[in-house]
Amino acid sequence: MLAGQEKMSDRVLVRIKDLTEEKADEVVWVRGRIHTSRAKGKQCFLVLRQQQFNIQALVAVGQHASKQMVKFAANINKESIVDVEGVVRKAHQKIGGCTQQDVELHVQKIYVISLAEPRLPLQLDDAVRPEVEGEEDGRATVNQDTRLDNRVIDLRTSTSQAVFCLQSGICQLFRETLIRKGFVEIQTPKIISAASEGGANVFTVSYFKSSAYLAQSPQLYKQMCICADFEKVFCVGPVFRAEDSNTHRHLTEFVGLDIEMAFNYHYHEVVDEIADTMVQIFKGLQERFQTEIQTVNKQFPCEPFKFLEPTLRLEYREGVAMLREAGVEMGDEDDLSTPNEKLLGRLVKEKYDTDFYILDKYPLAVRPFYTMPDPVNPKNSNSYDMFMRGEEILSGAQRIHDPQLLTERAQHHGIDLEKIKAYIDSFRFGAPPHAGGGIGLERVTMLYLGLHNVRQTSMFPRDPKRLTP
Amino acid sequence: MLAGQEKMSDRVLVRIKDLTEEKADEVVWVRGRIHTSRAKGKQCFLVLRQQQFNIQALVAVGQHASKQMVKFAANINKESIVDVEGVVRKAHQKIGGCTQQDVELHVQKIYVISLAEPRLPLQLDDAVRPEVEGEEDGRATVNQDTRLDNRVIDLRTSTSQAVFCLQSGICQLFRETLIRKGFVEIQTPKIISAASEGGANVFTVSYFKSSAYLAQSPQLYKQMCICADFEKVFCVGPVFRAEDSNTHRHLTEFVGLDIEMAFNYHYHEVVDEIADTMVQIFKGLQERFQTEIQTVNKQFPCEPFKFLEPTLRLEYREGVAMLREAGVEMGDEDDLSTPNEKLLGRLVKEKYDTDFYILDKYPLAVRPFYTMPDPVNPKNSNSYDMFMRGEEILSGAQRIHDPQLLTERAQHHGIDLEKIKAYIDSFRFGAPPHAGGGIGLERVTMLYLGLHNVRQTSMFPRDPKRLTP
């Protein structure tokens, strides 16, 4: 077995994406998967795939290949991994369906590195077919459960490869930007002793002879770090919600990109930092992930994501006014329903030509007890949501940092003070004013790319009905 | 309340670390905590602290301060946050005990931003006192449980600030290096349906009407990503171990820095990449975190961390031979006990002058079922651990990528095949040879800095006896 050999090999494998006309007539070694295979008389045409790239390879009876070898090549199961030695040849005409259209590989040797079983649970070509084409031509597409049940294969498609490379980029850009802004990365515990917000929607864990909970957010810990003088912190990690919501945008476990920051005089200092972080992510994606965006667009066509700099910030009452003008009936202190959220997104896009905006100063009544009231209008709060293509991706606020006011607000909400004692006590030894927010990674990826289900942007999604693979 | 004012302020706050002789005679605003306060007749000396930096501030009766103001300043509780307007003055002599030794601040105005309660559960000066000094002079130090029970205050010490800034740097360097090497960051689920390695040491979660487990490692998911052609992946996230181990280096929840990588011909390709990643981290820490390292050393003196480039790689049998030469009796296929691990670390340091090395080719018998056997000597395996200052920080191996061999090895270990069916099935549709490993973040931080308990490098540690804060 090659993989277990004792010495390092000095054979150099060339990447498929690097096989261009410049390499014409060179002999190269390539490792790839058999994407498709078609035998035709004394020839066999293979398409070799490597991540998002593929090339046509020809095995033909002649100086370097016997009849047996052509037959052998033709019989290798699709998705098997092979090492191929071949000569790069200029193609007589563009090779449709391959990313490397100008060259093909004339195979001299072929070894199987890992053999796939003959029957695949789904076909990669079906899995990248746009829904519309499938419907129009009656050609097969792959439904979501089949994809998720066979995720190892579904993740091999060019679309999946692009989605998750871009998602890796979002994380990288998020942290890069914040580190540049002087933030410190923190790690917060996921197993906690008390359910932070009263105990609804929380998963219980058996913890030795006792029990514990899974953190619904890192918020308490972020705030403790602010009280411990870290000033500007962020964390990236799993967030758990035991909500029995079976929608396109809810997961029971998702990745939170969380920010918390002390400010000097006004919570808008924090809002501006978060909004700018999002803008830096959007710009970075445009610059570094153009190929990935285009690959996803082929299967899921979508308008490019638009944003303003600086970010548009509307007050909640302005949003309500726009909705009322469009015929929606709602009270000043009503929360936004999901359809109204989406409608407002469309109205904002029409008026301001942006897919990203901030809605600021939510009614105090619809926000959690720890939200700082607006000092000017006590019916409002210093809190905000951020939206992409009309869907919420971040919820945040200035937090109450005064233990006295925090106690009063908790009592007003009917919260058992005993249960949140540790939380309130965190603020007793000097706490700077601070604000923050939590971003859902899978939603950002979904909405940036204009996808329609958060399960497309979670590698191994968890929902009330899915715990595998 | 300043924090709630309607408009942004145009007052500029200067950072304490920037208050140097160059700013002499300038009037500045500073926000800081009252670190200490000492009234003396018509004067009050304050030390103002901001993260790892502090400066002396003088409030004296005169043109800008009344007797009442001096009294007011002297009565502000320690750890309260204040805004101070003052003139920067060159100090007549170096001010001991402050980081800004050449200047002091002559206070003109002082406002309390957040008042601390009068009695602190621990004193910051005690919390940074070296153990030795405490023992010799009979001065107070703070024990670990008091620290952890009052973590918000303990984290404010210069030592804690330095430890966790450096830890943030380790994460950043880890990812920076891997992104540069072409790795993709993945997010793996923490709630899983089946306990991966037989079900020992796993936490159970109630999941709606059913139950689930907390992932003991992201390994299966990393491997699935390799089978899905991502080629080189890493992830940073919590790892859960329900082990009732109350040692200096075990936690029930820790942060795993995980790597998995397909290789071409030899698993040493992966070992080299991981080792180089560690080397890049060590170098980056030396370059970027010298201040933090020195700050921690003041409280916890320690030899600088030494490493070689390329990293020293010994075979397990060589390690055993060194131990035997030092008088240890052990069989060829015995695992290393913790004391022997540490002894070997000392022997390696003496002989090779490095605090970081790799032990390769562990006996197959002491490794998990999915470990690839050594093709040359079937009693050995293609597996390795990495050590810092004689303690294990990484365990890794080439994984079996052939479903047939994997089945045989599982059976040999007496593992119920039904329970690992999904795992084995992942390799049925073509799997490249691959290897990887998992690094414990808290251990790396602890051992790099020469600390002695992993609870010092976990912000909010979890062990069988601690779930709070």
Side-chain angles (χ1 to χ4, degrees), chain B residues 296-297 300-305 389 446-452:
Chain B
V296 177
N297 277 346
F300 300 101
C302 157
E303 294 287 305
F305 188 82
R389 299 195 200 261
M446 169 179 79
L447 295 163
Y448 185 82
L449 290 170
L451 301 177
H452 299 292

Side-chain angles (χ1 to χ4, degrees), chain A residues 4-6 33 114 117 156 161 175 185 190-191 207 227-229 252-253 266 375 428 431 462-463, chain B residues 4-6 33 114 117 156 161 175 185 190-191 207 227-229 252-253 266 375 428 431 462-463:
Chain A
Q5 70 188 40
E6 191 49 2
R33 286 191 191 269
S114 175
E117 293 197 350
R156 291 178 193 168
Q161 291 280 320
R175 290 180 306 235
E185 179 175 10
K190 304 309 163 197
I191 303 181
Y207 197 78
C227 295
D229 292 346
T252 52
E253 177 181 344
H266 200 289
R428 294 199 188 280
R462 296 294 179 253
D463 65 31
Chain B
Q5 69 187 40
E6 191 49 2
R33 288 192 190 268
S114 175
E117 293 196 351
R156 291 178 193 168
Q161 292 279 321
R175 290 179 307 236
E185 180 176 8
K190 304 307 162 198
I191 303 181
Y207 197 78
C227 295
D229 291 346
T252 52
E253 178 181 344
H266 200 290
R428 294 199 187 281
R462 297 293 180 251
D463 65 31

Side-chain angles (χ1 to χ4, degrees), chain A residues 212-341:
Chain A
Y213 306 96
L214 290 183
Q216 290 163 289
S217 119
Q219 193 185 318
L220 167 57
Y221 294 95
K222 287 191 302 177
Q223 291 191 261
M224 286 173 78
C225 289
I226 296 301
C227 295
D229 292 346
F230 285 94
E231 294 187 1
K232 299 170 164 191
V233 298
F234 71 89
C235 55
V236 176
V239 168
F240 306 93
R241 303 276 165 91
E243 284 176 63
D244 199 357
S245 302
N246 294 281
T247 78
H248 78 285
R249 63 175 182 175
H250 286 90
L251 294 170
T252 52
E253 177 181 344
F254 63 90
V255 177
L257 307 176
D258 269 274
I259 292 177
E260 201 75 26
M261 178 182 148
F263 61 83
N264 293 331
Y265 299 109
H266 200 289
Y267 77 99
H268 281 174
E269 297 165 29
V270 181
V271 177
D272 291 348
E273 282 287 58
I274 300 176
D276 182 63
T277 301
M278 294 307 301
V279 166
Q280 297 312 319
I281 293 173
F282 302 148
K283 283 182 166 179
L285 293 178
Q286 272 181 347
E287 281 161 23
R288 305 185 201 168
F289 292 88
Q290 215 36 255
T291 311
E292 282 75 12
I293 294 167
Q294 283 165 18
T295 300
V296 177
N297 277 346
K298 271 183 213 155
Q299 182 170 5
F300 300 101
C302 157
E303 294 287 306
F305 188 82
K306 287 198 168 178
F307 58 94
L308 303 174
E309 195 177 358
T311 301
L312 174 68
R313 187 176 67 224
L314 298 174
E315 294 209 354
Y316 194 82
R317 57 172 177 77
E318 296 176 89
V320 172
M322 286 172 76
L323 284 170
R324 282 181 186 150
E325 206 168 299
V328 174
E329 288 181 25
M330 66 181 287
D332 289 344
E333 293 181 63
D334 289 354
D335 206 352
L336 282 183
S337 66
T338 305
N340 283 345
E341 215 175 89

Side-chain angles (χ1 to χ4, degrees), chain B residues 71-89:
Chain B
K71 199 176 161 194
F72 170 79
N75 282 330
I76 303 170
N77 296 329
K78 279 201 288 184
E79 292 300 306
S80 297
I81 300 172
V82 294
D83 271 11
V84 164
E85 186 197 58
V87 187
V88 181
R89 295 287 186 206

